[in-house]
Amino acid sequence: MSTIFVLNGPNLNLLGTREPAIYGSTTLADVDALCVAEAAKFGLTADCRQSNHEGVLVDWIHEAGKLQKAGKLAGVVLNAGAYTHTSLAIADAVRGTGVSLIEVHITNVHAREAFRHHSFLSPIARGVIVGLGPQGYALAIAALAASAPKA
């Protein structure tokens, strides 16, 4: 069975309590459960992880690249949080590994502060989903599942 990594960056562990007027009341545990259920619909497993540390996210992307090359990973769903707008290291990891990545944001970053309008990930992502709330994760999983290696 193939896997999909669902990686969440800084402060996403605060979902449900962090600025609920912006991010809603859904918790990260709720998002993880949604991702596991969505992946299962396609016969895949979702490996959900969150870190506030850039290097940890880079290491996970390296791991994902190796697994995808071995035919064991369909790709990565990544909500890099603020690192989307600042991290060349994460973008370089995606570029360097060649991993298939869907960038996801719960809010519409283009309707928010100007610094959130730029993404280092968008130019190298297979797709970008913004502003659809937690449902964006499910859509990203469906997109990766459509091109996943068949067992």
Side-chain angles (χ1 to χ4, degrees):
M1 178 179 296
S2 193
T3 300
I4 291 175
F5 276 11
V6 179
L7 305 181
N8 284 286
N11 300 309
L12 287 156
N13 55 305
L14 300 176
L15 283 176
T17 60
R18 175 189 177 201
E19 301 175 274
I22 295 173
Y23 296 101
S25 59
T26 302
T27 66
L28 184 58
D30 296 333
V31 170
D32 290 349
L34 170 85
C35 292
V36 167
E38 188 67 21
K41 291 179 187 176
F42 300 99
L44 303 169
T45 59
D47 184 342
C48 302
R49 305 174 183 188
Q50 186 277 330
S51 180
N52 294 317
H53 304 284
E54 184 178 33
V56 172
L57 292 165
V58 168
D59 289 342
W60 289 341
I61 292 166
H62 290 181
E63 179 185 351
K66 289 177 187 173
L67 289 171
Q68 186 168 316
K69 282 182 176 79
K72 297 178 181 178
L73 186 88
V76 174
V77 174
L78 175 62
N79 183 341
Y83 288 142
T84 302
H85 322 291
T86 64
S87 180
L88 292 171
I90 292 173
D92 284 349
V94 173
R95 189 177 287 108
T97 62
V99 72
S100 183
L101 180 121
I102 307 284
E103 178 185 351
V104 171
H105 298 283
I106 293 169
T107 66
N108 180 353
V109 294
H110 303 289
R112 297 186 61 199
E113 304 93 339
F115 74 87
R116 295 184 195 275
H117 299 178
H118 173 73
S119 167
F120 284 105
L121 299 170
S122 294
I124 53 176
R126 190 167 138 219
V128 180
I129 300 171
V130 300
L132 299 179
Q135 187 59 29
Y137 288 87
L139 295 170
I141 288 169
L144 288 173
S147 62
K150 307 301 179 224

